[in-house]
Amino acid sequence: MPKILCLSIVIGYLAAAELSGDRLKMLQDPGGWEYIKIEDRDAGIQTEHTCFDGTPHPDICSGTLTLSAGNTFIQQVSVHHQTVSRHGTYTLDGDQLAFFDEFGTKDGPYTISIDPEKTSLSLRMPQVHMDLLLKNRKSRK
């Protein structure tokens, strides 16, 4: 295969993996994202977190993730009235999102997928799957 054709295919693939302007704006919505479902596959056994099972349980648990245009993030998760907050920076490379918390600890990269019609965000690694909904989804429709 000619080198120019190979290079064109690679550039086309990389462009397709980039978030479009609308999806990037949605990712960085100032209202943030609400955690809906978290699955953890530890040692081949899938665990679905009872608080984040696909149906909101705001009296028991809730969580938000806000990603700013300045590549900073804030995460707040409350379970049984105890809140854990994280903040730091993130990198976005195509559809790969990695977090670096306030201690410099790396989390990811996650493969991300945004569905503008459902106003949903999925974060995936082989062992962790998270589904989030845009908090201000009513204003997006």
Side-chain angles (χ1 to χ4, degrees):
M1 184 180 286
K3 289 182 183 180
I4 293 175
L5 182 57
C6 286
L7 183 58
S8 295
I9 291 170
V10 169
I11 290 171
Y13 173 76
L14 290 175
E18 294 291 325
L19 289 180
S20 71
D22 289 342
R23 281 186 167 83
L24 183 59
K25 273 186 181 178
M26 186 178 279
L27 179 71
Q28 297 170 341
D29 188 280
W33 296 87
E34 180 180 7
Y35 284 93
I36 299 300
K37 188 169 190 171
I38 300 174
E39 295 176 326
D40 190 0
R41 297 174 180 179
D42 186 26
I45 299 169
Q46 184 171 335
T47 302
E48 188 175 273
H49 293 264
T50 56
C51 281
F52 299 103
D53 60 1
T55 303
H57 304 283
D59 294 339
I60 301 170
C61 57
S62 62
T64 59
L65 174 65
T66 306
L67 301 157
S68 76
N71 288 48
T72 60
F73 78 91
I74 298 172
Q75 177 191 51
Q76 292 189 322
V77 178
S78 295
V79 177
H80 299 291
H81 308 291
Q82 294 202 354
T83 301
V84 176
S85 298
R86 289 178 57 212
H87 65 277
T89 61
Y90 70 91
T91 59
L92 182 61
D93 184 12
D95 66 348
Q96 300 295 300
L97 179 68
F99 298 97
F100 299 86
D101 70 10
E102 61 269 27
F103 304 110
T105 305
K106 182 179 180 182
D107 182 13
Y110 293 89
T111 300
I112 65 169
S113 174
I114 296 176
D115 185 333
E117 293 202 14
K118 293 181 180 176
T119 60
S120 65
L121 168 65
S122 295
L123 301 172
R124 301 279 188 260
M125 285 193 333
Q127 67 275 25
V128 177
H129 295 183
M130 293 181 273
D131 295 321
L132 300 95
L133 288 176
L134 196 63
K135 281 191 70 166
N136 295 328
R137 56 191 168 271
K138 291 179 182 99
S139 65
R140 291 281 179 172
K141 292 188 177 187

